[in-house]
Amino acid sequence: MSNPFPTGRSALYRLYNSAGVLLYVGVSRYPDERLKQHAGDKTWWHHVARHEIAWLDSRLDALAVEATAMEEERPLYNGYHHLGKGWPQKARKYDDSADRARVLEGVRSALKRGDYPPGNLLQGAPIGRQYGASPCTAHSALHDLADEGLLVKRAKHFMVPKTAA
């Protein structure tokens, strides 16, 4: 059985929006990789303006600092597994419906205008940046457009059909 608290340094990272509001606190031995994962799967990621990383001597130390940060700093979007006694509210889930609608409307309009030529590949990250949404929200919107027949799903991206839909 592997040790759930491996030896070696671990990072405690904090993610903030442009107003300095703490969005998320986490622990990882590989924080750069973890931030890339979050960028791909957090609907609120496009609000992250900066991050801070603090290295601690062990994962156990990092988890203890994280627990204190959760209790005292109250990050907005940490998951339910972080909740415990003393937490005054349920974890907030980011509502990405307005972001998703903006992506849907923007891409539909762009397709109608011919901004994306037939055969053009669309991916969640660049489309998200273009329309002010997270990559996963944009990917989900592109998937909806594929379901409507306006795009064709191709592995991890979407293609503008070569023939009119």
Side-chain angles (χ1 to χ4, degrees):
M1 186 167 144
S2 65
N3 181 356
F5 304 110
T7 58
R9 291 175 28 148
S10 286
L12 174 85
Y13 58 91
R14 289 176 173 89
L15 306 175
Y16 298 90
N17 69 13
S18 60
V21 174
L22 180 62
L23 301 176
Y24 193 86
V25 175
V27 170
S28 177
R29 291 186 70 188
Y30 306 99
D32 292 338
E33 291 302 313
R34 189 65 178 132
L35 295 180
K36 288 178 190 173
Q37 290 173 342
H38 286 324
D41 67 12
K42 301 297 184 196
T43 57
W44 45 261
W45 181 259
H46 60 294
H47 291 288
V48 175
R50 68 179 177 89
H51 67 272
E52 294 176 356
I53 297 175
W55 286 95
L56 292 109
D57 290 335
S58 72
R59 181 166 179 82
L60 197 54
D61 290 343
L63 290 170
V65 173
E66 178 191 38
T68 299
M70 299 297 289
E71 191 173 315
E72 295 177 1
E73 300 173 46
R74 306 287 188 205
L76 289 180
Y77 299 125
N78 278 84
Y80 286 99
H81 66 281
H82 291 292
L83 298 176
K85 290 184 178 181
W87 193 270
Q89 63 196 24
K90 289 188 175 184
R92 292 181 185 144
K93 183 173 175 166
Y94 179 73
D95 179 3
D96 69 343
S97 57
D99 300 334
R100 186 185 188 111
R102 191 170 51 253
V103 173
L104 286 167
E105 180 181 328
V107 174
R108 271 194 198 107
S109 296
L111 288 167
K112 195 177 285 188
R113 289 190 308 269
D115 294 352
Y116 305 123
N120 195 51
L121 298 178
L122 304 179
Q123 294 179 316
I127 292 295
R129 282 190 299 274
Q130 183 177 355
Y131 294 102
S134 70
C136 62
T137 297
H139 182 88
S140 183
L142 294 173
H143 201 283
D144 289 348
L145 294 170
D147 288 347
E148 294 173 17
L150 296 175
L151 297 173
V152 176
K153 177 90 170 95
R154 295 280 187 250
K156 294 183 178 181
H157 56 266
F158 299 85
M159 183 179 75
V160 178
K162 293 185 179 181
T163 58

